[in-house]
Amino acid sequence: MNENNQLPQVETPAEEALESAEALSEVLRIRREKLSALQAAGKDPFQETIFERTAYAQDIQEHFEDYEGKEVSLAGRIMAWRDMGKAGFFDLRDASGRIQLYIKIDVVGEEAFSALKFWDIGDIIGVSGEVFRTRRGEISVKVSLCRLLSKSLLPLPEKFHGLKDTELRYRQRYVDLIVNPQVKDTFLKRSKIISAIRAYLDGLGFVEVETPVLHTQAGGAAARPFITHHNALDLDMYMRIALELHLKRLIVGGFDKVYEIGRVFRNEGMSVKHNPEFTMLELYQAYTDYEGIMNLTEEMIRTVALQTLGTARVVYEGVEIDLESPFRRISMKEAVREMSGVDFEAVSSLEEARAIAKEHHIEFEERHGMGDILNLFFETYCEEKLIQPTFVTGHPVDISPLSKRFPEDPNYTQRFELFIFGREHANAFSELNDPIDQRARFEHQAALKAAGDDEACDVDEDFLNALSYGMPPTGGLGIGIDRLVMLLTGSSSIRDVLLFPTMKPREN
């Protein structure tokens, strides 16, 4: 009890939120007043245009001996400010990193120094001055000229708490990049990874191409598409779910090696591994098969890791992933036998497969064939156990409508998927080039779609027409770029490697 025998007052969350909003409102008012004062004095920062830079913060930090005593010009954002009366220390962050500025009244002049009262943390400035090292050893720039280039009307998140709200970080990636420099590093690595992939494929003689994003039919993968409408043609169209069918048309047309890196769109769930739009690499090479593509895939991933990280051994969520050693290769049936104890070599009928599935509590649908049930066993018992890089081969034809069959066992196909850390990273085939077999598989898919399977595809008559002109033996590959970037940057969520992930709009 206090002196008046009353309980102490404790603020409720609502009251704290109100106080926070009122404080923010006051900050906004002050910043607007500073802007108005600048504009009234004819010094509107938003009218500033070019500022010539001669150096970047990181280069000065790393090569101080080359810059010491020299005049430089820098531009960037104020991230911290220590006022010392007639002098001030500022932390400036530019595109490369951070450096300290020392602004002193008797160097910049009284008029320029007095203008600092209109500056705030978050403002963008340009400065010129001499590079030196302070008595405490801090590499700095003694400013002789300073200009306010843009005003920040909203305050940055509080220094010690930062932008910790994960959802807000994704919604306001621009603020996330400002206050969390390590986030930018992830996207710089992403750019390097994609550049390394291009360099590797270009070095093998592949040609990069671009194919349509809007399709009249959804095909090339088992996925639910986004549907849009073309007004001029009065036609429903699909955002592409894969790059495959147009790229294979190019193989028919005489290209031997083609690839595309582009966005695809799948109208499905969202998770740490899935975003409705994501980036795919697909490549096709004539006169090779899935084993040739398997070798290419392994060597490409290893090379990209070495070039972008300097090592082919990466740590992901506390586990060392070995991209250096040869990747394991195992058939789907072998994996299921090894990890579930069920040998599908000994399963002779669909009824037997269904009975075994029920014994193992594997849920299946009436439309599922024996190959589908094998795949359900694989997904249940095997996927999450495939931590080190593993090529899984021999997929059932039921789940591989675009893949060439094994002549000696036509119920299975010349296909592989690459699993790393329990996740699919690549999918590849010896491409089906028999137009008669392809028509039969398309028609089977169309029947599944009519029966309610939203992920099944239609019969693509134009693609069948292309195959009928003759497509050479071809190997094809699809790799999810985002998942590869997640692996090589140690990112646990796909949203951490997408600059602007899909978000549900906030309710007002």
Side-chain angles (χ1 to χ4, degrees), residues 170-205:
Y170 299 142
R171 288 185 186 280
Q172 297 184 7
R173 180 69 85 187
Y174 40 91
V175 181
D176 188 27
L177 290 166
I178 293 170
V179 300
N180 295 319
Q182 71 279 6
V183 172
K184 186 177 180 181
D185 292 340
T186 295
F187 292 102
L188 291 174
K189 284 181 182 176
R190 179 188 175 104
S191 179
K192 291 177 180 178
I193 289 165
I194 293 173
S195 294
I197 291 171
R198 284 194 166 100
Y200 180 83
L201 294 176
D202 292 348
L204 294 178

Short mmCIF file of all heavy atoms in Angstrom, two decimals, residues 170-205:
data_model
loop_
_atom_site.label_atom_id
_atom_site.label_comp_id
_atom_site.label_asym_id
_atom_site.label_seq_id
_atom_site.Cartn_x
_atom_site.Cartn_y
_atom_site.Cartn_z
N TYR A 170 8.66 -8.30 -42.97
CA TYR A 170 8.35 -8.70 -44.34
C TYR A 170 7.47 -7.67 -45.04
O TYR A 170 7.61 -7.44 -46.24
CB TYR A 170 7.65 -10.07 -44.35
CG TYR A 170 8.48 -11.19 -43.77
CD1 TYR A 170 7.91 -12.19 -43.00
CD2 TYR A 170 9.86 -11.26 -44.01
CE1 TYR A 170 8.67 -13.22 -42.47
CE2 TYR A 170 10.63 -12.28 -43.47
CZ TYR A 170 10.02 -13.26 -42.70
OH TYR A 170 10.77 -14.27 -42.18
N ARG A 171 6.55 -7.06 -44.29
CA ARG A 171 5.66 -6.07 -44.89
C ARG A 171 6.42 -4.80 -45.25
O ARG A 171 6.15 -4.17 -46.27
CB ARG A 171 4.52 -5.71 -43.93
CG ARG A 171 3.48 -6.79 -43.75
CD ARG A 171 2.34 -6.30 -42.88
NE ARG A 171 1.41 -7.36 -42.60
CZ ARG A 171 0.46 -7.78 -43.44
NH1 ARG A 171 0.34 -7.18 -44.60
NH2 ARG A 171 -0.34 -8.77 -43.12
N GLN A 172 7.34 -4.41 -44.38
CA GLN A 172 8.10 -3.18 -44.59
C GLN A 172 9.57 -3.53 -44.79
O GLN A 172 10.43 -3.16 -44.00
CB GLN A 172 7.91 -2.22 -43.41
CG GLN A 172 6.47 -1.77 -43.24
CD GLN A 172 6.30 -0.76 -42.11
OE1 GLN A 172 7.27 -0.28 -41.53
NE2 GLN A 172 5.06 -0.45 -41.80
N ARG A 173 9.84 -4.26 -45.86
CA ARG A 173 11.21 -4.72 -46.11
C ARG A 173 12.17 -3.54 -46.22
O ARG A 173 13.34 -3.64 -45.85
CB ARG A 173 11.25 -5.56 -47.38
CG ARG A 173 12.63 -6.09 -47.72
CD ARG A 173 13.07 -7.14 -46.71
NE ARG A 173 12.56 -8.45 -47.06
CZ ARG A 173 12.67 -9.53 -46.29
NH1 ARG A 173 13.27 -9.43 -45.11
NH2 ARG A 173 12.18 -10.69 -46.66
N TYR A 174 11.67 -2.39 -46.70
CA TYR A 174 12.52 -1.21 -46.84
C TYR A 174 13.06 -0.77 -45.48
O TYR A 174 14.23 -0.36 -45.37
CB TYR A 174 11.75 -0.07 -47.50
CG TYR A 174 10.31 0.08 -47.05
CD1 TYR A 174 9.97 0.90 -46.00
CD2 TYR A 174 9.30 -0.63 -47.68
CE1 TYR A 174 8.67 1.03 -45.57
CE2 TYR A 174 7.97 -0.51 -47.27
CZ TYR A 174 7.66 0.31 -46.20
OH TYR A 174 6.37 0.43 -45.78
N VAL A 175 12.25 -0.88 -44.42
CA VAL A 175 12.73 -0.53 -43.08
C VAL A 175 13.64 -1.64 -42.56
O VAL A 175 14.68 -1.38 -41.93
CB VAL A 175 11.56 -0.30 -42.10
CG1 VAL A 175 12.09 0.09 -40.72
CG2 VAL A 175 10.63 0.79 -42.63
N ASP A 176 13.27 -2.88 -42.82
CA ASP A 176 14.08 -4.02 -42.41
C ASP A 176 15.50 -3.89 -42.96
O ASP A 176 16.49 -4.13 -42.25
CB ASP A 176 13.41 -5.30 -42.94
CG ASP A 176 14.05 -6.57 -42.42
OD1 ASP A 176 14.63 -6.54 -41.31
OD2 ASP A 176 13.95 -7.61 -43.10
N LEU A 177 15.62 -3.50 -44.21
CA LEU A 177 16.94 -3.36 -44.83
C LEU A 177 17.74 -2.22 -44.20
O LEU A 177 18.97 -2.29 -44.10
CB LEU A 177 16.78 -3.11 -46.34
CG LEU A 177 16.29 -4.31 -47.16
CD1 LEU A 177 15.85 -3.86 -48.54
CD2 LEU A 177 17.38 -5.37 -47.26
N ILE A 178 17.04 -1.18 -43.77
CA ILE A 178 17.73 -0.04 -43.14
C ILE A 178 18.31 -0.43 -41.79
O ILE A 178 19.47 -0.13 -41.48
CB ILE A 178 16.78 1.17 -42.98
CG1 ILE A 178 16.38 1.73 -44.35
CG2 ILE A 178 17.43 2.26 -42.14
CD1 ILE A 178 15.27 2.77 -44.27
N VAL A 179 17.50 -1.09 -40.95
CA VAL A 179 17.91 -1.29 -39.56
C VAL A 179 18.56 -2.65 -39.31
O VAL A 179 19.16 -2.86 -38.25
CB VAL A 179 16.71 -1.10 -38.60
CG1 VAL A 179 16.15 0.30 -38.73
CG2 VAL A 179 15.62 -2.14 -38.86
N ASN A 180 18.45 -3.58 -40.25
CA ASN A 180 19.06 -4.90 -40.10
C ASN A 180 20.01 -5.15 -41.28
O ASN A 180 19.62 -5.77 -42.28
CB ASN A 180 18.00 -6.00 -40.05
CG ASN A 180 17.11 -5.88 -38.82
OD1 ASN A 180 17.58 -5.59 -37.74
ND2 ASN A 180 15.81 -6.10 -38.99
N PRO A 181 21.24 -4.67 -41.21
CA PRO A 181 22.17 -4.77 -42.35
C PRO A 181 22.40 -6.19 -42.83
O PRO A 181 22.66 -6.41 -44.02
CB PRO A 181 23.46 -4.15 -41.81
CG PRO A 181 23.05 -3.32 -40.65
CD PRO A 181 21.85 -3.98 -40.06
N GLN A 182 22.31 -7.19 -41.92
CA GLN A 182 22.57 -8.57 -42.32
C GLN A 182 21.53 -9.07 -43.32
O GLN A 182 21.79 -10.01 -44.09
CB GLN A 182 22.62 -9.49 -41.09
CG GLN A 182 21.29 -9.74 -40.40
CD GLN A 182 20.88 -8.62 -39.47
OE1 GLN A 182 21.53 -7.57 -39.40
NE2 GLN A 182 19.81 -8.83 -38.73
N VAL A 183 20.34 -8.46 -43.31
CA VAL A 183 19.30 -8.86 -44.26
C VAL A 183 19.76 -8.55 -45.69
O VAL A 183 19.58 -9.35 -46.61
CB VAL A 183 17.98 -8.14 -43.95
CG1 VAL A 183 16.95 -8.38 -45.04
CG2 VAL A 183 17.44 -8.59 -42.60
N LYS A 184 20.37 -7.39 -45.86
CA LYS A 184 20.86 -7.02 -47.18
C LYS A 184 21.90 -8.01 -47.68
O LYS A 184 21.96 -8.33 -48.87
CB LYS A 184 21.44 -5.61 -47.13
CG LYS A 184 21.86 -5.07 -48.49
CD LYS A 184 22.36 -3.64 -48.36
CE LYS A 184 22.79 -3.09 -49.70
NZ LYS A 184 23.28 -1.70 -49.61
N ASP A 185 22.73 -8.52 -46.76
CA ASP A 185 23.77 -9.48 -47.15
C ASP A 185 23.15 -10.72 -47.79
O ASP A 185 23.70 -11.29 -48.73
CB ASP A 185 24.60 -9.89 -45.92
CG ASP A 185 25.45 -8.75 -45.38
OD1 ASP A 185 25.69 -7.79 -46.15
OD2 ASP A 185 25.85 -8.81 -44.20
N THR A 186 22.00 -11.17 -47.26
CA THR A 186 21.33 -12.33 -47.82
C THR A 186 20.96 -12.09 -49.28
O THR A 186 21.15 -12.96 -50.14
CB THR A 186 20.05 -12.66 -47.01
OG1 THR A 186 20.42 -13.04 -45.69
CG2 THR A 186 19.26 -13.79 -47.66
N PHE A 187 20.45 -10.90 -49.57
CA PHE A 187 20.01 -10.63 -50.94
C PHE A 187 21.17 -10.35 -51.87
O PHE A 187 21.08 -10.61 -53.08
CB PHE A 187 18.98 -9.51 -50.93
CG PHE A 187 17.70 -9.95 -50.26
CD1 PHE A 187 17.40 -9.56 -48.97
CD2 PHE A 187 16.83 -10.80 -50.92
CE1 PHE A 187 16.25 -10.00 -48.34
CE2 PHE A 187 15.67 -11.25 -50.30
CZ PHE A 187 15.38 -10.84 -49.00
N LEU A 188 22.28 -9.86 -51.34
CA LEU A 188 23.48 -9.75 -52.16
C LEU A 188 23.99 -11.14 -52.53
O LEU A 188 24.41 -11.38 -53.67
CB LEU A 188 24.56 -8.96 -51.42
CG LEU A 188 24.26 -7.47 -51.21
CD1 LEU A 188 25.35 -6.83 -50.34
CD2 LEU A 188 24.16 -6.74 -52.55
N LYS A 189 23.93 -12.07 -51.57
CA LYS A 189 24.34 -13.46 -51.86
C LYS A 189 23.39 -14.09 -52.87
O LYS A 189 23.81 -14.85 -53.75
CB LYS A 189 24.37 -14.29 -50.57
CG LYS A 189 25.57 -14.02 -49.69
CD LYS A 189 25.54 -14.89 -48.45
CE LYS A 189 26.72 -14.58 -47.53
NZ LYS A 189 26.65 -15.36 -46.26
N ARG A 190 22.09 -13.78 -52.74
CA ARG A 190 21.13 -14.32 -53.71
C ARG A 190 21.52 -13.90 -55.13
O ARG A 190 21.50 -14.72 -56.05
CB ARG A 190 19.72 -13.84 -53.37
CG ARG A 190 18.66 -14.33 -54.34
CD ARG A 190 17.30 -13.69 -54.12
NE ARG A 190 16.39 -14.11 -55.15
CZ ARG A 190 15.42 -15.00 -55.00
NH1 ARG A 190 15.21 -15.56 -53.82
NH2 ARG A 190 14.64 -15.34 -56.01
N SER A 191 21.83 -12.64 -55.29
CA SER A 191 22.22 -12.14 -56.61
C SER A 191 23.46 -12.86 -57.12
O SER A 191 23.55 -13.24 -58.30
CB SER A 191 22.48 -10.63 -56.53
OG SER A 191 22.88 -10.12 -57.77
N LYS A 192 24.43 -13.09 -56.23
CA LYS A 192 25.66 -13.78 -56.63
C LYS A 192 25.39 -15.24 -57.00
O LYS A 192 26.00 -15.78 -57.93
CB LYS A 192 26.69 -13.72 -55.50
CG LYS A 192 27.25 -12.31 -55.27
CD LYS A 192 28.22 -12.29 -54.09
CE LYS A 192 28.77 -10.89 -53.86
NZ LYS A 192 29.68 -10.84 -52.68
N ILE A 193 24.47 -15.87 -56.28
CA ILE A 193 24.12 -17.27 -56.57
C ILE A 193 23.51 -17.38 -57.97
O ILE A 193 23.89 -18.25 -58.77
CB ILE A 193 23.15 -17.81 -55.50
CG1 ILE A 193 23.89 -18.01 -54.18
CG2 ILE A 193 22.50 -19.12 -55.95
CD1 ILE A 193 22.98 -18.20 -52.98
N ILE A 194 22.58 -16.49 -58.29
CA ILE A 194 21.94 -16.53 -59.60
C ILE A 194 22.96 -16.21 -60.70
O ILE A 194 22.96 -16.85 -61.76
CB ILE A 194 20.75 -15.56 -59.64
CG1 ILE A 194 19.65 -16.05 -58.69
CG2 ILE A 194 20.19 -15.42 -61.06
CD1 ILE A 194 18.49 -15.09 -58.51
N SER A 195 23.84 -15.26 -60.43
CA SER A 195 24.89 -14.94 -61.41
C SER A 195 25.81 -16.13 -61.64
O SER A 195 26.22 -16.40 -62.78
CB SER A 195 25.70 -13.73 -60.95
OG SER A 195 24.92 -12.56 -60.92
N ALA A 196 26.13 -16.86 -60.56
CA ALA A 196 27.00 -18.03 -60.69
C ALA A 196 26.32 -19.15 -61.48
O ALA A 196 26.98 -19.86 -62.25
CB ALA A 196 27.41 -18.53 -59.30
N ILE A 197 25.02 -19.31 -61.29
CA ILE A 197 24.28 -20.31 -62.07
C ILE A 197 24.33 -19.96 -63.55
O ILE A 197 24.61 -20.81 -64.41
CB ILE A 197 22.81 -20.40 -61.59
CG1 ILE A 197 22.75 -21.03 -60.20
CG2 ILE A 197 21.96 -21.20 -62.57
CD1 ILE A 197 21.38 -20.97 -59.55
N ARG A 198 24.08 -18.68 -63.86
CA ARG A 198 24.11 -18.25 -65.26
C ARG A 198 25.51 -18.48 -65.86
O ARG A 198 25.64 -18.95 -66.99
CB ARG A 198 23.74 -16.77 -65.37
CG ARG A 198 22.25 -16.49 -65.22
CD ARG A 198 21.92 -15.07 -65.68
NE ARG A 198 20.48 -14.91 -65.86
CZ ARG A 198 19.67 -14.33 -64.99
NH1 ARG A 198 20.17 -13.84 -63.85
NH2 ARG A 198 18.38 -14.23 -65.23
N ALA A 199 26.54 -18.10 -65.11
CA ALA A 199 27.90 -18.26 -65.62
C ALA A 199 28.22 -19.73 -65.89
O ALA A 199 28.85 -20.07 -66.90
CB ALA A 199 28.90 -17.67 -64.63
N TYR A 200 27.77 -20.60 -64.99
CA TYR A 200 28.04 -22.04 -65.16
C TYR A 200 27.35 -22.56 -66.43
O TYR A 200 27.97 -23.25 -67.25
CB TYR A 200 27.54 -22.81 -63.93
CG TYR A 200 27.77 -24.30 -64.03
CD1 TYR A 200 29.01 -24.85 -63.70
CD2 TYR A 200 26.76 -25.15 -64.46
CE1 TYR A 200 29.24 -26.21 -63.80
CE2 TYR A 200 26.98 -26.52 -64.57
CZ TYR A 200 28.21 -27.04 -64.24
OH TYR A 200 28.43 -28.39 -64.35
N LEU A 201 26.07 -22.23 -66.60
CA LEU A 201 25.33 -22.74 -67.75
C LEU A 201 25.81 -22.10 -69.05
O LEU A 201 25.93 -22.79 -70.08
CB LEU A 201 23.83 -22.50 -67.56
CG LEU A 201 23.20 -23.28 -66.40
CD1 LEU A 201 21.73 -22.89 -66.23
CD2 LEU A 201 23.32 -24.79 -66.63
N ASP A 202 26.09 -20.80 -69.00
CA ASP A 202 26.61 -20.15 -70.20
C ASP A 202 27.93 -20.79 -70.63
O ASP A 202 28.20 -20.94 -71.82
CB ASP A 202 26.82 -18.64 -69.95
CG ASP A 202 25.51 -17.89 -69.77
OD1 ASP A 202 24.43 -18.46 -70.06
OD2 ASP A 202 25.55 -16.73 -69.29
N GLY A 203 28.74 -21.17 -69.65
CA GLY A 203 30.01 -21.81 -69.94
C GLY A 203 29.87 -23.17 -70.59
O GLY A 203 30.79 -23.65 -71.26
N LEU A 204 28.72 -23.80 -70.41
CA LEU A 204 28.45 -25.10 -71.05
C LEU A 204 27.74 -24.95 -72.39
O LEU A 204 27.37 -25.95 -73.01
CB LEU A 204 27.59 -25.97 -70.12
CG LEU A 204 28.24 -26.42 -68.81
CD1 LEU A 204 27.25 -27.23 -67.99
CD2 LEU A 204 29.49 -27.25 -69.08
N GLY A 205 27.53 -23.70 -72.81
CA GLY A 205 26.91 -23.48 -74.10
C GLY A 205 25.40 -23.38 -74.08
O GLY A 205 24.75 -23.41 -75.14
#
